[in-house]
Amino acid sequence: ARAPNQTARRRNDREQAKARMRERRKDPENVFKENYNRAMRRVKTDESYRPTHIILQNYGITVDEINQIRAKRGWEPIEIDIPPTFTPTPANVIQAEINAKHKLALSRIAEEKRLEKGTKEEVDD
């Protein structure tokens, strides 16, 4: 049987380790490193692992890096289709383009409507 102070010391060490880990997990950079290392560890140890294109994009991993690791292990290279990235155009840019392109056309339409009203009023008089 252990002495009571050894059990208490181990419990205290565990609590301190948990507290340190909670502090580390608050930093997004550390969380990113953990997830990156988790993905790379699977690439290095599991021959059947095929990371998704989302994992590759999120952590900046290239297919060439993966295939280099696989070649060192004597595994077959893999192909991963990475769709082209789509960057949405911000609404204010779209609105500026609409304003620039269509302002003249809209003003012409408004002018035509105004003239039509004017001619109708003249006819009614």
Side-chain angles (χ1 to χ4, degrees):
R2 288 191 191 110
N5 62 348
Q6 284 181 334
T7 305
R9 188 177 313 135
R10 283 187 178 179
R11 191 176 311 119
N12 190 26
D13 289 345
R14 278 194 302 262
E15 291 301 319
Q16 287 176 353
K18 286 179 185 178
R20 283 193 305 271
M21 188 54 136
R22 278 193 291 271
E23 281 301 311
R24 277 192 224 117
R25 299 279 305 158
K26 289 179 184 176
D27 183 7
E29 190 175 319
N30 282 335
V31 174
F32 177 86
K33 286 179 186 176
E34 284 179 20
N35 292 334
Y36 171 83
N37 289 334
R38 181 179 300 133
M40 291 307 287
R41 185 171 39 252
R42 284 198 65 194
V43 166
K44 292 175 185 175
T45 58
D46 186 1
E47 184 177 1
S48 63
Y49 179 60
R50 304 283 191 272
T52 64
H53 68 276
I54 295 169
I55 296 235
L56 300 180
Q57 289 172 342
N58 285 349
Y59 302 112
I61 303 169
T62 64
V63 178
D64 292 335
E65 285 179 79
I66 293 172
N67 285 331
Q68 286 174 2
I69 292 168
R70 293 178 67 81
K72 286 179 186 174
R73 303 234 183 274
W75 299 340
E76 291 291 318
I78 60 171
E79 292 285 326
I80 300 174
D81 291 327
I82 301 174
T85 56
F86 171 73
T87 306
T89 307
N92 60 345
V93 173
I94 293 171
Q95 190 60 47
E97 289 175 0
I98 289 171
N99 288 343
K101 289 180 182 176
H102 303 292
K103 196 171 188 179
L104 182 62
L106 293 174
S107 66
R108 283 183 186 157
I109 293 169
E111 182 67 20
E112 288 172 7
K113 286 182 181 178
R114 189 181 65 74
L115 289 174
E116 285 175 12
K117 282 183 183 178
T119 56
K120 285 181 184 177
E121 288 174 2
E122 290 174 7
V123 171
D124 291 340
D125 289 342

